[in-house]
Amino acid sequence: MENFKQTSQRLAIIDYLKDNKNHPTVEEIFKSVKDKNPHVSLATVYNTIDMLKKRGIISELTINSTKRRYDPNPNYHHHFICLSCKNVFDIEEKINITLSEELKNSYKIHGYEIDLYGYCNNCKKELSGID
Amino acid sequence: MENFKQTSQRLAIIDYLKDNKNHPTVEEIFKSVKDKNPHVSLATVYNTIDMLKKRGIISELTINSTKRRYDPNPNYHHHFICLSCKNVFDIEEKINITLSEELKNSYKIHGYEIDLYGYCNNCKKELSGID
DNA sequence: TTATTAATTTAGAATAATTCTAAAATGGAA
DNA sequence: TTCCATTTTAGAATTATTCTAAATTAATAA
Ligand SMILES: [Mn+2]
Ligand SMILES: [Mn+2]
Ligand SMILES: [Zn+2]
Ligand SMILES: [Zn+2]
């Protein structure tokens, strides 16, 4: 895979994704990008996502079962999903896990992904009634 | 939610799911159940899955982004996904994780799910060429 | 510059998983 | 048995995603 052509559509999509911490869906990417640059089609969003995925520039999350979410954060990280607002937060901090010898013998383990569930700071406040 | 009607279709689906460790897709459930009991429609598989899900008897996995997989294992557990054969294995063993104080302060964490990735025993062998 | 061309964009069609609908069937209470 | 709320069902509808093939264009070379 060589260098890619710099089209205005691609630059707009890449610009939207840059530093984006929202783990957006294709629909969200399309809406937002089209807003600034109406010369972007849904097909191009799909194509560009595909290209970025293949190059390892973004990764695909399967947290949501109806729509795929995309993650442009290049660092290895885990996620926290708020059970109330459903937002997905990056956990960049390293989380150590302890695996038994038996487990390490049964499988050749290359890596792991952790999803934490609970309530984010905002929803925590709402629940308690305190602000 | 009260007791449910015992129909032959439901019993067949529940029977197939009982102790099933394969995390089957709807398609897999439908094929297998229809085989023994042709009086089962795809719609009923969807309906029954829905009912079992609402009752907490099965849970939905989002490991695969194209098809949902279902898990009748009632114990809290994690998963190992083989990068080669794509099979999903239950890890019933407790995995401890270490979270920083800062993290515990930022979020009200209720639980976590870990997906381990690597090669299962079978695929490990194939890769090494030894059998 | 301008010409060339392979890569990209695009609208719309195709596909595939899931949900919906509304009519027919039936488990289980009375 | 009768009754009826619940369930089943086929097929239609919906939704996300992929495919197609024609039109456009970025990048390269003349
Ligand atoms: Mn992330
Ligand atoms: Mn499982
Ligand atoms: Zn929240
Ligand atoms: Zn394997």
Side-chain angles (χ1 to χ4, degrees):
Chain A
M1 227 181 312
E2 331 76 61
N3 263 343
F4 57 82
K5 264 191 186 171
Q6 310 238 133
T7 66
S8 72
Q9 292 91 334
R10 281 178 169 178
L11 291 174
I13 293 165
I14 290 166
D15 182 62
Y16 171 75
L17 250 17
K18 180 133 182 41
D19 297 326
N20 189 313
K21 300 274 184 197
N22 297 323
H23 307 91
T25 61
V26 170
E27 200 189 350
E28 285 163 352
I29 296 169
F30 179 55
K31 272 213 192 100
S32 190
V33 167
K34 199 184 175 70
D35 229 52
K36 284 193 182 168
N37 179 351
H39 294 285
V40 178
S41 70
L42 182 59
T44 294
V45 175
Y46 274 105
N47 289 340
T48 303
I49 280 173
D50 226 58
M51 186 270 285
L52 295 172
K53 220 167 52 180
K54 282 201 185 108
R55 286 162 178 266
I57 291 165
I58 62 175
S59 59
E60 193 173 272
L61 304 185
T62 49
I63 283 170
N64 188 305
S65 76
T66 49
K67 292 175 179 187
R68 299 175 192 174
R69 297 189 159 274
Y70 293 91
D71 192 336
N73 185 339
N75 307 317
Y76 169 67
H77 63 285
H78 304 291
H79 291 106
F80 173 88
I81 300 112
C82 178
L83 296 168
S84 173
C85 65
K86 313 293 180 198
N87 282 331
V88 179
F89 300 87
D90 282 348
I91 305 293
E92 303 244 12
E93 164 177 328
K94 174 140 184 56
I95 301 177
N96 284 310
I97 67 175
T98 324
L99 300 175
S100 73
E101 283 307 310
E102 199 204 330
L103 206 54
K104 284 190 262 186
N105 285 339
S106 308
Y107 303 100
K108 179 99 204 66
I109 297 170
H110 282 217
Y112 56 91
E113 266 175 41
I114 304 178
D115 290 336
L116 303 169
Y117 289 91
Y119 294 93
C120 75
N121 233 310
N122 273 339
C123 296
K124 205 162 65 176
K125 282 181 198 157
E126 280 173 28
L127 282 177
S128 72
I130 305 164
D131 203 10
Chain B
M1 231 179 308
E2 329 76 59
N3 262 343
F4 57 83
K5 266 190 185 174
Q6 310 239 134
T7 66
S8 72
Q9 293 91 332
R10 281 178 172 179
L11 292 174
I13 293 165
I14 290 166
D15 182 60
Y16 170 75
L17 250 16
K18 180 131 181 40
D19 297 325
N20 188 313
K21 300 273 185 196
N22 298 322
H23 307 91
T25 61
V26 171
E27 201 189 350
E28 285 164 353
I29 297 168
F30 179 55
K31 272 213 192 99
S32 190
V33 166
K34 199 182 174 71
D35 229 51
K36 284 193 182 168
N37 179 351
H39 294 285
V40 178
S41 70
L42 182 58
T44 295
V45 175
Y46 274 106
N47 289 339
T48 303
I49 280 173
D50 226 60
M51 185 269 284
L52 295 173
K53 219 166 52 178
K54 283 201 184 109
R55 286 161 177 266
I57 290 164
I58 62 175
S59 58
E60 194 173 272
L61 304 185
T62 49
I63 283 169
N64 188 305
S65 76
T66 49
K67 293 175 180 189
R68 299 174 193 174
R69 298 189 157 275
Y70 294 92
D71 192 336
N73 185 339
N75 306 318
Y76 168 66
H77 63 285
H78 303 291
H79 291 107
F80 173 88
I81 300 110
C82 178
L83 296 168
S84 174
C85 65
K86 313 293 181 198
N87 281 330
V88 179
F89 300 87
D90 282 350
I91 305 293
E92 303 244 11
E93 162 178 329
K94 174 142 183 56
I95 299 177
N96 283 312
I97 67 175
T98 324
L99 299 175
S100 73
E101 282 307 310
E102 200 204 330
L103 206 55
K104 284 191 262 187
N105 285 340
S106 309
Y107 302 101
K108 178 101 206 63
I109 296 170
H110 281 217
Y112 56 91
E113 266 176 40
I114 303 178
D115 289 338
L116 303 170
Y117 289 90
Y119 295 93
C120 75
N121 234 309
N122 274 339
C123 297
K124 205 162 64 177
K125 282 182 200 156
E126 280 173 27
L127 282 177
S128 74
I130 305 165
D131 202 9

